[in-house]
Amino acid sequence: MAKKARQRISYVLELDHSSSGGHRLGVNGLAVDRDNAILYSGGRDGVICAWDLNLDLKNHSNHDRASSQNAKLQPTTKFRASTQAHTHWVNDIVLAANNSALVSASSDLTVKVWRPQFGDTEPHTIGQHADYVKCVATPSSADWVASGGLDRKIYLWDLNGKGKSLEIDVRGDDVSEKASVYAMSVGRSVLASGGPESIVRLWDPKTGKRITKLVGHTDNVRAILMNESGDTVMTASSDQTVKVWSVTAGRCMYTLTMHNDSVWSLFSEDPELAVFYSSDRSGLIVKTDTRGTVEMDEGLSVAVAQEHDGVSKVVACGDYIWTASSSSSINRWTNVETGPDAQLPEPFRHLRAGSPVSRSRKPSAASANGLEKNEIPAKSILRISNTAAFPEINGSPESNLTPGTVPRKGSEILVDPVVPVIEPIHHLPEETIEGQNGLVKHKLLNDRRRVLTLDTAGDVLLWDLIRCEVIQRFGKKHLEDVEPEVNTLEAVAPWCSIDTSSGNLTVVLEPFNCFDAEMYADELILAEPVDFREDQRINLGRWILRYLFAKLIDEEIKRDEAYRLKLNEVVEKRQAATRLNPPTSISIPAPNMQGWEPSDSPATTPRANGPNFPMTPGFGIGIATPATHLPGLAENVAIPGSPLDKVSSQQLNRSSGEDYFSGGISSADTPAKPATTPAPADQAPAKEETPKSPVETKDKEKDTAKSPSTPFGKKFRMGMSFGTKKLGRSASTNIEKPNVAEEKPEESKSESSSNHEKEIDDSLRGVIQKVHNDYEKQLLEAPENLIETKITPALPIDAPVLKLPQGTKVIIQEETSGGSANLYRGTVMSVGVDADIIEEKAPMWLGEVLLANTIPQKDPVKVSFVLHPWKDSLPSIATADGNNRLNANRMLRVKKILAYVAERIDPQSEEPEPGALKPEEYLELYCNDQLLPNTMSLATLRAHIWKGGNDVVLYYKANGRKEIPKELPQPQLDDPVVSDPGGQTVIPPIATVS
């Protein structure tokens, strides 16, 4: 089976809705549906919007500039609908299939089709590239669309869902690194593409074969148009030119130079491209009209308008022009009449009089000042090409030339040249379709739970990544100025990544590190108080996932109840039959020392079923040791065989079995072997409890094995109880180990055989299949017992209740060669309804977290440090050989280190006196001459105080509130702290931080 691609979970925090729709970032694509007067726009926020224009686009009117003065009287554009089509920039959109389908190309690698007129609320993916998709094109009335991208491929996709119909490798035999496709146009029998290699390539869309290539541009080809017959191609380039090519001749016919900056967009509705619109990086919008001319460079180019930013897309329809830029708003401009009835200044009027169409035009009445009504100003007329005739105005040759065309000798240096000023006809748009504010910058704070963002309006917001909401607003400030005000002195393991490229705050959770970060429960501010254990930590990844998918968990619990109900009906019938025909005698097998059946019995396998085990009064499995309390187990644990409370059992397992960061302070130079010595002793009683999953049982055995007992354990409990030292020794020496060893092969054999019996899906559904397999196995082994649920999501003590905003988006993604592809997208409210889809698409590790409360196991990250008394004012805690180098979990707090020191230099009785001072109340810890707060962790201390790569050097000191002996008490030879059977020195852990 091929290795499954890595999957990740993302969630998008909901931004404030200042208006009913609109983009949050710049707009890259525009398309107009003339028949229905609908404008479509695609933005860098991944959103596609539809707008009702409320305009008559079917008929041209004599819409002159005077009418723009009455713009307020005209109907304004209304928001119609929108869809979060993509998770990255929408780079291009096109209307297809007689305007019934809108196709979009995105940097999220997908090509999607949206049919809002047919009731589609979400677009459907029809194709995918291996890199950013930059452009889409389709011939009129066709049922296919072509897409091109940075993967140097052109694909033809069927709009009816039949998938890819053709693939064109743009590189071909010429392996070019610049063969990316930035622009495309499709005619009846020709497909044209261009990109950074500055070459326009022509292809046969039926066979994918190359027809020819057009060479002439010197920079990136940014836009392409093709006439209806397919024999003329028009291209715009970053070399500031627009070229017109003859397909039959295979060469450039005209080079138009009306722009003085990189030309980004072309648009034309004319079948022969006689009227076209162009826009450039400087924001200039130009209309060019070549109707009625013999040569194209005899046409008229007019500067219609000037945007503040580069215009990425221009479209025109009827009497209007729409422009898209890096702003989230879309501007509508009044079109300019450039046809035979255009009012031109006298020099241009004579110049144009040579054309047959212009000769037949009747002269218009002149106004009193000599200028005709609505006459196009001379400063708005551009020189269409370097070879075009251009009249002198006011006798100044310089004024006849556009910027960049001033003639000079090769050696001449121009000093303050007179650059003619281009004055566009329109200075203000007729209407602005307002966008919203999107995020453009972010800073993740040290606690990795809060993020500062800056939006397009200049406002700074502070977000809580766990609660998915804005918690503070700072107004219009510099983000760098706000950061010191809100940042804290913390060092938290990376557990998520932040992305604001789409204008929204997206949090990405990767399986390899999303469970690495934790926070102490006593730092939480909760609406409803929870009785946490001392020094309990909350895993951030598990916490947020638990409530992002809360509706899914509820749905799976309902389904599980229905599934078990059917199984238990059979069990209840069997129980009823047994009551009607009771047995005359009961045969009880003799248990061995561990309380299990003999290992040679093939029928059963030891099971950790806790309360599910048949309870027979007087026949409970006892603890195989005379001790009253086993090390590593809480003293209030009920003896197996007695009634156990379900909730307390789950809490017990949670406290000891789920903390993969477990581990206290130990000698940094000592192997971990002695710490695992008590493992076999603790495994037998561990089997008696009720784990949430087989994985947690193993975790419990592992954790209890790492918890040797010390007197400190009773004085400073941290979520786990430690017995006395003597009990620790008796537990490791008195319990017979062979019985446990005998059971393990049988258990593993049974597990192995059951795994081969039924294959499970490598998805969230596989977790449910495991649960159902366990139910069936239980029915076979104990058919008289009712089936109890094995779906055990995290309880509030592990994941305090969160009420996330309903609009928070949840996305499941899969890695691809060029980025990531969406497998599922919904909201926190819809994940329950979409349970079937999520079961199929979501990874198995997510199911184990949500339904079994099991997170992947990882070795804890530890920090090495050295403890010294401050100026020898207190006894040293170094071992007999002078070793005082220790290591501990990176989350261990300063107060626990002080408790460790106190245990060594000031041992107390197991039962502290009432009112006795805690170690952190009479001891202090210093690093680099700084007094450390009691709640500071080792990780924070190392990152912000020590700031070095070597072992952290710490000094402990008394503050005078308690008298401490000057000499260290001498340990006894039989003390396990000093010696162990292996002869290795071990400093036992003072804390298991859980």
Side-chain angles (χ1 to χ4, degrees):
M1 183 184 292
K3 185 178 180 182
K4 191 174 182 180
R6 188 171 72 195
Q7 294 174 323
R8 62 172 68 99
I9 310 299
S10 302
Y11 61 100
V12 184
L13 279 62
E14 199 174 17
L15 284 164
D16 296 333
H17 292 287
S18 55
S19 63
S20 58
H23 296 283
R24 296 192 177 277
L25 293 181
V27 181
N28 287 339
L30 294 175
V32 180
D33 179 356
R34 177 191 291 270
D35 296 334
N36 298 297
I38 298 174
L39 175 70
Y40 294 96
S41 58
R44 299 177 183 179
D45 54 2
V47 172
I48 296 176
C49 292
W51 309 89
D52 279 321
L53 297 175
N54 297 310
L55 298 170
D56 182 9
L57 303 180
K58 295 182 180 180
N59 300 312
H60 279 280
S61 63
N62 292 325
H63 194 103
D64 54 35
R65 277 173 288 141
S67 65
S68 63
Q69 304 297 327
N70 301 322
K72 293 182 180 179
L73 303 178
Q74 295 193 4
T76 57
T77 302
K78 299 293 184 182
F79 173 76
R80 180 184 179 93
S82 71
T83 178
Q84 183 72 49
H86 299 276
T87 56
H88 212 305
W89 286 20
V90 175
N91 294 315
D92 195 13
I93 60 174
V94 66
L95 281 166
N98 294 319
N99 296 343
S100 65
L102 184 82
V103 182
S104 56
S106 170
S107 293
D108 68 4
L109 318 186
T110 62
V111 180
K112 295 191 176 184
V113 60
W114 184 36
R115 294 182 173 90
Q117 296 178 18
F118 294 97
D120 282 2
T121 56
E122 292 290 330
H124 306 287
T125 301
I126 58 172
Q128 184 166 330
H129 283 250
D131 209 331
Y132 291 1
V133 192
K134 295 294 290 183
C135 52
V136 282
T138 182
S140 57
S141 305
D143 59 353
W144 58 270
V145 65
S147 63
L150 301 188
D151 56 359
R152 308 180 182 93
K153 296 289 182 63
I154 295 173
Y155 293 110
L156 270 58
W157 310 100
D158 184 86
L159 289 174
N160 299 318
K162 296 179 182 178
K164 179 176 64 178
S165 58
L166 185 67
E167 174 181 342
I168 300 174
D169 190 340
V170 179
R171 291 173 296 184
D173 299 329
D174 311 326
V175 179
S176 171
E177 294 301 323
K178 292 185 176 181
S180 300
V181 181
Y182 274 60
M184 259 193 331
S185 183
V186 184
R188 291 177 179 174
S189 57
V190 180
L191 185 152
S193 68
E197 61 178 346
S198 310
I199 298 174
V200 180
R201 299 187 185 274
L202 304 182
W203 313 86
D204 184 344
K206 296 179 181 178
T207 63
K209 293 182 179 180
R210 182 185 303 175
I211 299 173
T212 186
K213 63 181 179 181
L214 308 174
V215 181
H217 281 297
T218 59
D219 207 338
N220 192 358
V221 178
R222 300 293 300 262
I224 302 177
L225 295 178
M226 188 178 295
N227 69 347
E228 195 173 71
S229 59
D231 58 7
T232 301
V233 173
M234 182 180 292
T235 58
S237 169
S238 295
D239 63 10
Q240 305 181 8
T241 67
V242 175
K243 288 183 180 291
V244 181
W245 310 80
S246 168
V247 174
T248 54
R251 67 183 183 90
C252 177
M253 305 300 292
Y254 301 98
T255 298
L256 310 182
T257 57
M258 72 284 281
H259 288 277
N260 297 309
D261 211 331
S262 174
V263 188
W264 282 1
S265 178
L266 289 174
F267 177 82
S268 178
E269 284 188 311
D270 193 310
E272 295 304 318
L273 307 182
V275 179
F276 66 92
Y277 302 82
S278 54
S279 62
D280 63 26
R281 183 171 58 185
S282 69
L284 184 67
I285 300 114
V286 177
K287 180 180 181 181
T288 303
D289 192 333
T290 63
R291 289 176 292 182
T293 61
V294 177
E295 299 292 337
M296 182 169 271
D297 53 9
E298 294 176 359
L300 176 67
S301 276
V302 179
V304 177
Q306 177 74 49
E307 282 274 16
H308 294 292
D309 304 300
V311 177
S312 55
K313 191 71 174 179
V314 58
V315 295
C317 192
D319 299 316
Y320 311 98
I321 301 171
W322 290 267
T323 55
S325 67
S326 58
S327 165
S328 60
S329 300
I330 302 167
N331 286 329
R332 187 186 85 199
W333 308 85
T334 305
N335 209 334
V336 177
E337 176 57 49
T338 57
D341 296 329
Q343 307 300 320
L344 300 177
E346 186 65 27
F348 295 93
R349 193 181 308 156
H350 287 301
L351 186 66
R352 208 178 188 194
S355 69
V357 178
S358 298
R359 271 191 222 111
S360 62
R361 188 189 48 179
K362 295 180 180 180
S364 302
S367 59
N369 59 5
L371 293 177
E372 298 187 11
K373 183 182 179 182
N374 296 326
E375 180 182 286
I376 297 175
K379 289 185 178 180
S380 300
I381 300 177
L382 307 174
R383 187 170 187 173
I384 192 170
S385 75
N386 292 333
T387 59
F390 205 68
E392 293 186 7
I393 301 174
N394 299 328
S396 173
E398 286 82 0
S399 64
N400 305 335
L401 304 174
T402 57
T405 63
V406 179
R408 64 184 178 91
K409 297 178 182 179
S411 59
E412 180 183 357
I413 300 177
L414 295 179
V415 180
D416 298 328
V418 179
V419 179
V421 177
I422 297 173
E423 186 175 326
I425 294 175
H426 300 305
H427 297 281
L428 293 174
E430 189 176 33
E431 181 188 11
T432 297
I433 304 172
E434 293 290 347
Q436 301 184 43
N437 296 322
L439 306 182
V440 293
K441 192 176 182 180
H442 70 273
K443 173 66 178 179
L444 183 61
L445 300 183
N446 290 339
D447 58 15
R448 298 189 182 273
R449 301 189 301 275
R450 297 176 302 149
V451 173
L452 275 176
T453 61
L454 178 71
D455 65 18
T456 49
D459 291 327
V460 177
L461 305 175
L462 181 63
W463 298 80
D464 188 319
L465 298 183
I466 303 297
R467 292 182 171 82
C468 300
E469 61 186 10
V470 176
I471 53 178
Q472 195 171 352
R473 301 173 186 273
F474 296 92
K476 290 176 170 53
K477 289 187 177 182
H478 291 290
L479 189 144
E480 292 76 11
D481 296 337
V482 177
E483 181 188 344
E485 299 177 17
V486 295
N487 219 345
T488 55
L489 204 66
E490 289 184 67
V492 178
W495 67 283
C496 67
S497 58
I498 308 299
D499 181 25
T500 53
S501 62
S502 63
N504 297 292
L505 186 60
T506 303
V507 186
V508 183
L509 305 179
E510 299 278 6
F512 59 83
N513 72 345
C514 69
F515 303 109
D516 286 1
E518 296 182 311
M519 68 176 293
Y520 279 94
D522 55 21
E523 297 173 358
L524 292 174
I525 300 175
L526 302 175
E528 301 177 2
V530 178
D531 187 17
F532 293 111
R533 301 183 299 274
E534 182 183 2
D535 288 314
Q536 180 177 336
R537 299 201 308 274
I538 305 297
N539 187 291
L540 299 184
R542 170 166 54 192
W543 190 14
I544 185 64
L545 286 172
R546 167 65 177 84
Y547 293 102
L548 285 174
F549 292 94
K551 297 286 186 183
L552 173 68
I553 295 173
D554 293 343
E555 176 64 22
E556 294 298 348
I557 289 175
K558 289 180 183 177
R559 295 184 179 188
D560 180 73
E561 288 176 353
Y563 185 83
R564 287 186 297 108
L565 184 62
K566 293 180 180 179
L567 297 180
N568 285 333
E569 286 177 357
V570 178
V571 176
E572 288 171 353
K573 290 178 181 179
R574 189 178 295 117
Q575 289 177 342
T578 305
R579 284 193 293 270
L580 293 174
N581 302 295
T584 56
S585 63
I586 299 177
S587 176
I588 301 175
N592 63 10
M593 186 168 183
Q594 295 296 324
W596 304 111
E597 294 184 9
S599 58
D600 57 357
S601 172
T604 58
T605 303
R607 292 175 291 110
N609 280 345
N612 298 337
F613 196 87
M615 299 296 179
T616 306
F619 290 99
I621 302 175
I623 298 177
T625 174
T628 58
H629 169 226
L630 279 179
L633 293 178
E635 293 180 353
N636 58 354
V637 175
I639 298 175
S642 63
L644 287 176
D645 181 69
K646 186 174 181 180
V647 176
S648 66
S649 175
Q650 287 187 353
Q651 291 180 353
L652 170 67
N653 287 296
R654 187 169 48 252
S655 66
S656 58
E658 292 182 4
D659 186 11
Y660 65 92
F661 277 127
S662 62
I665 296 181
S666 60
S667 172
D669 300 325
T670 304
K673 180 181 176 182
T676 62
T677 303
D682 294 339
Q683 284 173 357
K687 291 179 182 291
E688 310 291 326
E689 300 167 3
T690 310
K692 297 172 187 174
S693 71
V695 176
E696 294 186 12
T697 308
K698 297 175 183 176
D699 296 346
K700 176 175 175 58
E701 295 168 1
K702 180 177 178 182
D703 283 350
T704 52
K706 291 186 178 179
S707 307
S709 301
T710 65
F712 167 79
K714 275 192 174 273
K715 293 193 300 180
F716 308 104
R717 298 189 184 279
M718 289 159 286
M720 291 183 64
S721 300
F722 298 97
T724 62
K725 296 176 184 177
K726 290 184 178 180
L727 285 177
R729 287 183 66 85
S730 64
S732 62
T733 55
N734 293 348
I735 295 180
E736 296 184 15
K737 301 175 184 177
N739 288 329
V740 178
E742 289 173 6
E743 296 296 337
K744 275 191 171 180
E746 181 70 23
E747 184 175 358
S748 62
K749 179 180 177 182
S750 174
E751 289 177 358
S752 175
S753 62
S754 70
N755 288 339
H756 287 290
E757 288 173 5
K758 294 184 179 180
E759 289 189 2
I760 59 174
D761 297 340
D762 187 13
S763 62
L764 189 145
R765 182 167 290 152
V767 178
I768 300 170
Q769 291 170 343
K770 281 184 184 178
V771 171
H772 290 177
N773 292 345
D774 287 345
Y775 291 160
E776 294 174 8
K777 184 178 178 182
Q778 182 178 334
L779 277 178
L780 292 174
E781 296 178 353
E784 70 283 355
N785 291 345
L786 292 175
I787 305 295
E788 292 191 12
T789 183
K790 288 185 178 293
I791 292 185
T792 52
L795 298 178
I797 194 169
D798 280 329
V801 176
L802 293 174
K803 296 180 181 178
L804 302 182
Q806 296 183 359
T808 304
K809 296 180 178 63
V810 181
I811 305 169
I812 301 174
Q813 296 174 312
E814 183 176 74
E815 273 192 356
T816 62
S817 58
S820 59
N822 287 358
L823 300 178
Y824 167 79
R825 182 170 61 220
T827 66
V828 293
M829 296 300 292
S830 67
V831 291
V833 179
D834 301 333
D836 291 331
I837 303 173
I838 296 176
E839 283 181 11
E840 178 186 351
K841 302 293 186 182
M844 182 178 286
W845 63 263
L846 178 64
E848 291 173 343
V849 172
L850 299 180
L851 306 180
N853 197 18
T854 303
I855 53 181
Q857 296 300 301
K858 244 187 180 182
D859 292 332
V861 178
K862 296 194 175 184
V863 175
S864 298
F865 60 98
V866 181
L867 281 172
H868 295 291
W870 176 268
K871 296 181 179 179
D872 295 328
S873 59
L874 293 174
S876 172
I877 62 170
T879 55
D881 59 358
N883 177 30
N884 59 354
R885 183 171 180 264
L886 308 167
N887 63 20
N889 189 306
R890 67 192 307 275
M891 290 294 291
L892 196 72
R893 282 174 160 176
V894 164
K895 66 178 182 179
K896 295 305 174 186
I897 301 176
L898 292 176
Y900 175 81
V901 173
E903 182 184 2
R904 299 298 181 277
I905 67 173
D906 185 28
Q908 301 294 315
S909 61
E910 295 183 3
E911 298 297 333
E913 299 177 3
L917 293 176
K918 297 179 180 178
E920 62 267 26
E921 294 175 339
Y922 63 88
L923 290 176
E924 297 174 345
L925 200 64
Y926 288 80
C927 179
N928 284 343
D929 296 327
Q930 292 188 46
L931 176 62
L932 305 177
N934 290 330
T935 55
M936 181 177 284
S937 69
L938 271 175
T940 303
L941 188 159
R942 184 185 185 92
H944 298 289
I945 308 297
W946 178 246
K947 299 179 181 179
N950 300 324
D951 292 348
V952 180
V953 179
L954 303 174
Y955 294 90
Y956 53 92
K957 173 187 175 184
N959 60 11
R961 294 186 63 185
K962 182 177 180 180
E963 189 69 27
I964 300 175
K966 298 295 183 183
E967 294 184 2
L968 191 65
Q970 295 298 320
Q972 302 298 320
L973 291 178
D974 60 346
D975 194 331
V977 173
V978 180
S979 176
D980 72 326
Q984 292 178 318
T985 303
V986 177
I987 298 178
I990 65 159
T992 299
V993 186
S994 57

